[in-house]
């Protein structure tokens, strides 16, 4: 394992974050604060509690997951797409660096940025509502698993995309709607039975449900299912990345 190569890629990507701190950190935190103001004031006044938890407190895990999902994909996809766009990807491919080291560098940096952002948003949420994390280690486990999984997914999108339009298509048209419809701002049990069945086909439901369970021990699905779905998606992403580097898909042509 060439740890110097991993460290070089990792530090380069992390340095880009500090150069764009307004976009990478400040903007998501402000957006989340606006969610608290709008949803907490408008909807919170009508929905006093959900499953024994005040509405403002209930939406905290969903807001954290919303930010972690979107930022993991955005950081990882742009991180690998930009070298393709400028042509410097060929220098990386010709260097004595294995694909595992490349993935560790890019995905590790993207996941780190998302985890830091998630913790900052969690601290920001504490300024608006009282927070009680019943299972902090489970909370961190879900946070890390989600950040790594969707950073890998973003890495795949960055390699697949051959233009900035494609780079934004899946996050905007697929991931964001699935996140909003995945129980970020409501409990699945509040839906009619037909919609509840359709909603349970959304994999994001299992991520948010497991993460919320670590806070309040309330969930829409079993914690076992949440962990299983998350690990399954992680395995699919890892297998896809392995196939991309094995075949050279979108890299060698």
């Amino acid at each position: 394992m060439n740890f110097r190569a991993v460290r070089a890629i990792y530090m380069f990507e992390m340095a880009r974050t500090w150069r764009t701190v307004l976009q990478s950190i400040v903007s998501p935190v402000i957006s989340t604060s606006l969610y608290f103001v709008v949803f907490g004031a408008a909807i919170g006044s009508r929905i006093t509690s959900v499953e024994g938890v005040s509405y403002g407190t209930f939406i905290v895990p969903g807001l954290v997951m919303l930010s972690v999902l979107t930022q993991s994909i955005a950081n990882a996809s742009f991180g690998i797409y930009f070298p393709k766009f400028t042509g410097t990807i060929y220098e990386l491919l010709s260097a004595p660096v294995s694909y595992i080291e490349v993935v560790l560098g890019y995905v590790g940096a993207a996941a780190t940025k998302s985890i830091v952002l998630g913790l900052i948003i969690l601290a920001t949420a504490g300024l608006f509502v009282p927070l009680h994390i019943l299972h902090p280690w489970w909370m961190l486990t879900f946070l890390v698993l989600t950040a790594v999984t969707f950073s890998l997914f973003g890495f795949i999108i960055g390699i697949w995309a051959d233009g900035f339009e494609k780079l934004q298509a899946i996050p905007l048209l697929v991931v964001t709607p699935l996140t909003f419809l995945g129980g970020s701002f409501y409990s699945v049990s509040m839906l009619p039975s037909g919609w509840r069945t359709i909603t349970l086909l959304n994999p994001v439901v299992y991520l948010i449900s497991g993460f919320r369970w670590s806070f309040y021990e309330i969930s829409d699905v079993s914690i076992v299912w949440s962990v299983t779905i998350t690990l399954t998606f992680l395995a699919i992403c890892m297998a896809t990345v392995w196939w991309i580097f094995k075949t050279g898909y979108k890299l060698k042509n």
Side-chain angles (χ1 to χ4, degrees), residues 6-226:
V6 175
R7 183 178 181 275
I9 298 172
Y10 179 88
M11 295 305 294
F12 177 81
E13 287 298 303
M14 291 302 295
R16 183 163 58 83
T17 301
W18 308 126
R19 292 196 300 268
T20 59
V21 68
L22 287 177
Q23 177 184 354
S24 303
I25 303 296
V26 177
S27 178
V29 171
I30 292 177
S31 299
T32 304
S33 300
L34 290 176
Y35 279 121
F36 275 112
V37 173
V38 174
F39 282 87
I43 300 179
S45 61
R46 298 177 179 270
I47 305 176
T48 55
S49 66
V50 179
E51 298 188 32
V53 180
S54 66
Y55 183 74
T57 305
F58 178 83
I59 65 174
V60 171
L63 288 175
V64 174
M65 280 287 103
L66 175 63
S67 298
V68 170
L69 287 174
T70 54
Q71 291 300 312
S72 295
I73 294 174
N75 290 328
S77 60
F78 185 81
I80 190 63
Y81 173 78
F82 194 72
K84 284 179 54 186
F85 179 74
T86 59
T88 56
I89 187 69
Y90 300 110
E91 298 178 5
L92 183 63
L93 294 175
S94 62
V97 182
S98 69
Y99 79 89
I100 295 177
E101 293 154 0
V102 173
V103 173
L104 283 176
Y106 281 108
V107 172
T112 300
K113 289 184 278 188
S114 300
I115 292 169
V116 170
L117 178 62
L119 294 176
I120 292 175
I121 290 175
L122 196 59
T124 304
L127 302 176
F128 294 90
V129 294
L131 288 179
H132 303 285
I133 305 175
L134 297 178
H135 303 283
W137 289 112
W138 271 110
M139 185 273 290
L140 289 174
T141 299
F142 270 105
L143 188 64
V144 172
L145 274 176
T146 303
V148 172
T149 301
F150 280 84
S151 293
L152 275 169
F153 186 54
F155 188 85
I156 295 168
I157 293 174
I159 293 177
W160 166 76
D162 50 18
F164 285 100
E165 293 81 6
K166 282 189 176 182
L167 194 67
Q168 298 295 327
I170 293 181
L172 290 178
L173 300 179
V174 179
V175 176
T176 300
L178 287 178
T179 306
F180 275 95
L181 298 174
S184 298
F185 303 106
Y186 57 87
S187 172
V188 175
S189 61
M190 300 168 64
L191 299 174
S193 59
W195 282 108
R196 190 182 310 136
T197 302
I198 295 174
T199 301
L200 291 177
L201 298 176
N202 180 357
V204 179
V205 169
Y206 299 86
L207 300 176
I208 296 176
S209 179
F211 193 61
R212 183 173 285 126
W213 177 88
S214 69
F215 281 74
Y216 317 122
E217 285 189 345
I218 57 175
S219 60
D220 296 311
V221 295
S222 167
I223 185 67
V224 175
W225 272 109
S226 296

